[in-house]
C-alpha cells in the first residue's frame, strides 16, 4: 500500500508516493533522485546517508520515510544558493577534505549542524560532531581543518 | 595505569609492479575552441590523478589547467592502464602524459608552421599560443589553432605510452635489481598511550617524513599522508577480518564489528614533512608513494606499544584483547 508523503526538501514542498517500509534514503535516492545521501551500509553504521531533519543530523537509512511527513529535510543539494557554494563546500574543496567523496555529503551536513548551533566549536567538539561519519580515505584531518577555517570566518564572503 | 611509549619505523615503496611490465597510455587532442581533451585509462579513486595528470599536460603544453578536460570514464574507448594500484599512476601515467604532450606539441608546431609558412623548429609554445621565436608577434593562439585545424580537415592528436619494461636484470639470488620504476622512502615515529586496565591504545602523535622525488601537488600529497595514516592506525589497532584466524568465528559482518578509525581516533598531532630528491625517470622527478603512508604507522605503533608496556605484539591488530592477553602472559611468565 502506498501513501502520499508530503515534506519540505531543501526548502521546497514535495509530494511523493512511499510505502510504509521505505526509508527516507530509499525515497530520496530512488524516487526523488536526490543522490548526495549515499548508501554506505544501509544499517546505521557509516553516516554516509546523513541528512538534516529539522536541522539535526539523522541517518536517512534508519529513518522511515513516512515519519518525516510535514517536516524539513535538507541534503547537500540544498546548500548552495543561486549557484554559489556554501562556505563549508568551498572550504572542503580548498582543503582537499574529500578524496573519493563518498562520505563527504554526510560530513558536510554533520559539520553544518554543528556550526549552526555552535559557530565557534573547539577541536574536540568538531571531532565529536563528525565522529559518527566513517571515511575510508581517512580525510578526518582535512575535514577538521576545513571546518575550523569556516568557524574562523575564512569563507564568510561569497566569492563571485 | 596509562603508560606511554615511542616507536619508529622506516619503509620503502616502489611505484607500480616492482618487476615492471605495467604500461599506461595517454592521448591528448586539440578541440575546436583550442582547449584540450586528455584521455587516460587510470581511475581516480580520490587520490587526485585527474588533477595531477592535467597539471602535467598543462605544464608540458603551456596552457592553463582549465583548458584541459580529462576523460577516463569509458572502458570501451578508454586507453590501456594496468590500474590504479601500488602508487603507480603519477609515475607511469604521468610519463605517458608527458610523452603524449610532447608528441602533440610537435604536431601542433608542424601544423602552425605550415599555416604561417615557417619551419616548425622556429616555433615556441608558451602562454596558450604558438609563435615564432625571433618574432613573437607572429603566431597563433590555441583557439585559432583549434579552429584552423578542425575546420580545415586536420586532427591534432598526441599519443604516448610508458612502461617500465618487465623483469629486467633481476638477480634471483640476491634480489638485486635496477629500480626500474621508483623507490620512495619514509620514516614514521609514533607516540602511544596504553591503558593497562582496558588494553586500549591511543595514538597521541605521528611524525612522518617521506622522500617522494617531487611533490607535483603538495595538497594531494598531504591528503595521501594523513589519509594513509588513519588507515595505518586502523590496521595497527582495530581492523580484523578474522579475529581468531584460521577459525572464522566472530568474523565481522558490518561496520559495527569491523572497526575503522573515526575522527575520534585521530592523533592530536599529525606532523609530516616531504623531502624531494628528483628521480631520473619520474615525471619532473616524482615518485609514487601513497600506499606506503598506510604501512608506515603500524610498525611504529607496535614498537611504541613495546616501549610502553614491554611486550611485542607480532600480529595486527593490537586490539584491547590482544594487549590484555599479552600483559597477562608477561606477568605469569
Ligand atoms: S547508509 Fe545509513 S549509516 Fe550507512
Ligand atoms: S573521502 Fe572517501 S570515504 Fe571519505
Amino acid at each position: 500500500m502506498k501513501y502520499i508523503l508530503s515534506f519540505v526538501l531543501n526548502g521546497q514542498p514535495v509530494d511523493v508516493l512511499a510505502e510504509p517500509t521505505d526509508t527516507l534514503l530509499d525515497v530520496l535516492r530512488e524516487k526523488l533522485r536526490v543522490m548526495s545521501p549515499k548508501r554506505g551500509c544501509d544499517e546505521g553504521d557509516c553516516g554516509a546517508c546523513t541528512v538534516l531533519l529539522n536541522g539535526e543530523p539523522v541517518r536517512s537509512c534508519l529513518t522511515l520515510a513516512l515519519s518525516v511527513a510535514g517536516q524539513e529535510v535538507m541534503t547537500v543539494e540544498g546548500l548552495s544558493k543561486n549557484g554559489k557554494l556554501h562556505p563549508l563546500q568551498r572550504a572542503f574543496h580548498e582543503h582537499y577534505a574529500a578524496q573519493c567523496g563518498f562520505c563527504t555529503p554526510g560530513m558536510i551536513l554533520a559539520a553544518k549542524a554543528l556550526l549552526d548551533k555552535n559557530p565557534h566549536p573547539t577541536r574536540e567538539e568538531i571531532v565529536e560532531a563528525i565522529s559518527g561519519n566513517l571515511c575510508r580515505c581517512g580525510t578526518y584531518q582535512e575535514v577538521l581543518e576545513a571546518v575550523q577555517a569556516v568557524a574562523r570566518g575564512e569563507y564568510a564572503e561569497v566569492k563571485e | 595505569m596509562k603508560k606511554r611509549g615511542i616507536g619508529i619505523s622506516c619503509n620503502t615503496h616502489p611505484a607500480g609492479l616492482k618487476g615492471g611490465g605495467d604500461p599506461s597510455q595517454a592521448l591528448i587532442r586539440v578541440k575546436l575552441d583550442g582547449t584540450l581533451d586528455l584521455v587516460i585509462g587510470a581511475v581516480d579513486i580520490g587520490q587526485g590523478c585527474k588533477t595531477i595528470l592535467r597539471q602535467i599536460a598543462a605544464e608540458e603544453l603551456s596552457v592553463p589547467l582549465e583548458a584541459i578536460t580529462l576523460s577516463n570514464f569509458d572502458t570501451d574507448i578508454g586507453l590501456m592502464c594496468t590500474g590504479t594500484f601500488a602508487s603507480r599512476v603519477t609515475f607511469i601515467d604521468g610519463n605517458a602524459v608527458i610523452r603524449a604532450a610532447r608528441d602533440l606539441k610537435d604536431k601542433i608546431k608542424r601544423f602552425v608552421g605550415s599555416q604561417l609558412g615557417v619551419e616548425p623548429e622556429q616555433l615556441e609554445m608558451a602562454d596558450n599560443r604558438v609563435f615564432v621565436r625571433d618574432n613573437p608577434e607572429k603566431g597563433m593562439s590555441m583557439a585559432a589553432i583549434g579552429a584552423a585545424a578542425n575546420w580545415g580537415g586536420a586532427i591534432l592528436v598526441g599519443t604516448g605510452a610508458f612502461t617500465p619494461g618487465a623483469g629486467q636484470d633481476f638477480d634471483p639470488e640476491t634480489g638485486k635489481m635496477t629500480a626500474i620504476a621508483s623507490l620512495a622512502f619514509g620514516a614514521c615515529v609514533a607516540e602511544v598511550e596504553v591503558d593497562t586496565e582496558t588494553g586500549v591504545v591511543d595514538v597521541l602523535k605521528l611524525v612522518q617524513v617521506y622522500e617522494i622525488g617531487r611533490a607535483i601537488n603538495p595538497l594531494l600529497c598531504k591528503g595521501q599522508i594523513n589519509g594513509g595514516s588513519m588507515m595505518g592506525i586502523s590496521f595497527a589497532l582495530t581492523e580484523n577480518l578474522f579475529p581468531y584466524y584460521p577459525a572464522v568465528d566472530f568474523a565481522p559482518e558490518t561496520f559495527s564489528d569491523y572497526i575503522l578509525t573515526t575522527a575520534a581516533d585521530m592523533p592530536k598531532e599529525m606532523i609530516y614533512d616531504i623531502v624531494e630528491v628528483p628521480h631520473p625517470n619520474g615525471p619532473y622527478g616524482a615518485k609514487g608513494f601513497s600506499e606506503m603512508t598506510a604501512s608506515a604507522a603500524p610498525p611504529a605503533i607496535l614498537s611504541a606499544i613495546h616501549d610502553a608496556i614491554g611486550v611485542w605484539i607480532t600480529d595486527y591488530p593490537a586490539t584491547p584483547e590482544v594487549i590484555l592477553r599479552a600483559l597477562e602472559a608477561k606477568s605469569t611468565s
Side-chain angles (χ1 to χ4, degrees):
Chain A
M1 168 104 175
K2 289 201 165 86
Y3 295 84
I4 298 176
L5 165 66
S6 304
F7 65 105
V8 179
L9 175 62
N10 298 325
Q12 300 289 324
V14 292
D15 299 312
V16 58
L17 287 176
E19 307 210 19
T21 51
D22 284 343
T23 64
L24 180 55
L25 181 63
D26 295 332
V27 166
L28 289 170
R29 287 186 64 90
E30 324 303 341
K31 306 237 161 83
L32 297 168
R33 312 303 287 169
V34 171
M35 302 309 255
S36 73
K38 300 286 184 279
R39 199 185 297 277
C41 65
D42 218 16
E43 53 193 14
D45 289 332
C46 74
C49 65
T50 300
V51 302
L52 300 186
L53 182 60
N54 306 319
E56 291 292 331
V58 298
R59 310 283 213 219
S60 63
C61 71
L62 293 186
T63 306
L64 285 175
L66 293 178
S67 73
V68 308
Q71 309 194 52
E72 296 204 19
V73 173
M74 176 174 248
T75 68
V76 162
E77 283 82 352
L79 281 184
S80 60
K81 292 265 172 339
N82 309 319
K84 306 263 187 306
L85 294 179
H86 186 277
L88 277 167
Q89 291 174 302
R90 289 196 345 256
F92 268 59
H93 177 225
E94 285 176 22
H95 285 80
Y96 185 38
Q99 290 195 25
C100 76
F102 202 81
C103 70
T104 314
M107 287 282 189
I108 289 183
L109 291 174
K112 179 174 190 300
L114 170 71
L115 293 181
D116 285 349
K117 270 185 263 162
N118 178 1
H120 301 290
T122 61
R123 179 191 189 276
E124 281 60 43
E125 287 167 332
I126 298 172
V127 163
E128 158 110 43
I130 59 168
S131 65
N133 295 71
L134 294 180
C135 175
R136 176 76 280 192
C137 303
T139 58
Y140 304 122
Q141 177 68 22
E142 283 68 32
V143 170
L144 172 69
E145 289 169 10
V147 178
Q148 285 174 325
V150 173
R152 280 194 302 268
E154 282 173 31
Y155 290 84
E157 266 156 58
V158 177
K159 264 197 226 149
E160 289 311 314
Chain B
M1 208 199 314
K2 294 199 171 179
K3 294 193 160 184
R4 290 195 178 188
I6 287 178
I8 184 166
S9 72
C10 299
N11 64 349
T12 178
H13 190 70
L17 301 179
K18 87 176 168 309
D22 52 332
S24 284
Q25 303 169 334
L27 177 152
I28 312 174
R29 83 177 169 116
V30 183
K31 292 193 281 193
L32 257 182
D33 63 355
T35 62
L36 305 170
D37 267 337
L38 168 59
V39 186
I40 57 162
V43 173
D44 196 327
I45 53 174
Q47 84 279 30
C49 72
K50 284 170 130 179
T51 305
I52 284 183
L53 297 176
R54 281 168 64 230
Q55 277 181 271
I56 291 175
E59 176 76 20
E60 282 297 316
L61 294 162
S62 317
V63 300
L65 190 62
E66 301 71 42
I68 301 176
T69 316
L70 182 143
S71 115
N72 66 344
F73 49 79
D74 188 331
T75 46
D76 279 341
I77 62 162
L79 300 180
M80 161 112 185
C81 167
T82 319
T84 296
F85 63 89
S87 313
R88 62 181 289 287
V89 174
T90 297
F91 187 84
I92 295 174
D93 291 61
N95 273 314
V97 169
I98 287 182
R99 289 178 179 184
R102 291 183 182 165
D103 183 39
L104 179 63
K105 197 171 183 171
D106 278 351
K107 288 177 177 155
I108 292 176
K109 283 186 183 172
R110 265 185 272 146
F111 176 77
V112 174
S114 71
Q115 296 280 304
L116 301 180
V118 296
E119 292 301 317
E121 295 72 39
Q122 294 172 264
L123 294 171
E124 277 297 326
M125 204 166 172
D127 299 331
N128 217 17
R129 64 191 287 274
V130 178
F131 53 89
V132 179
R133 193 172 301 115
D134 302 327
N135 181 12
E137 304 287 282
K138 187 171 176 179
M140 289 174 84
S141 66
M142 282 301 289
I145 295 167
N150 289 293
W151 286 116
I155 176 165
L156 294 174
V157 178
T159 58
F162 184 81
T163 180
Q168 297 159 354
D169 66 8
F170 177 72
D171 180 345
E173 285 296 312
T174 60
K176 185 176 171 215
M177 64 190 292
T178 311
I180 308 167
S182 68
L183 284 177
F185 301 94
C188 173
V189 180
E191 183 178 5
V192 304
E193 187 172 80
V194 185
D195 186 327
T196 55
E197 303 288 322
T198 62
V200 170
V201 177
D202 248 341
V203 181
L204 306 173
K205 185 171 178 178
L206 281 183
V207 183
Q208 309 177 72
V209 183
Y210 292 98
E211 192 283 285
I212 65 171
R214 166 85 57 119
I216 290 184
N217 188 315
L219 184 62
L220 292 177
C221 295
K222 170 178 186 270
Q224 292 303 302
I225 294 170
N226 286 336
S229 305
M230 294 314 296
M231 294 179 192
I233 295 171
S234 256
F235 297 158
L237 300 178
T238 63
E239 287 183 42
N240 202 345
L241 275 178
F242 297 105
Y244 299 99
Y245 186 81
V248 296
D249 307 83
F250 302 104
E253 286 169 4
T254 70
F255 286 130
S256 52
D257 37 27
Y258 185 80
I259 309 296
L260 308 185
T261 43
T262 71
D265 303 302
M266 217 178 358
K268 288 223 169 48
E269 286 181 272
M270 293 222 271
I271 299 167
Y272 74 89
D273 203 359
I274 287 172
V275 178
E276 297 176 299
V277 181
H279 187 279
N281 301 338
Y284 312 111
K287 302 176 178 183
F289 86 108
S290 300
E291 198 172 318
M292 69 194 293
T293 63
S295 55
I301 291 170
L302 293 199
S303 312
I305 292 173
H306 177 263
D307 187 35
I309 58 173
V311 293
W312 283 111
I313 309 293
T314 50
D315 263 337
Y316 298 125
T319 58
E321 180 180 343
V322 169
I323 297 280
L324 291 180
R325 283 188 197 281
L327 282 172
E328 199 175 84
K330 184 187 166 200
S331 69
T332 53
S333 70

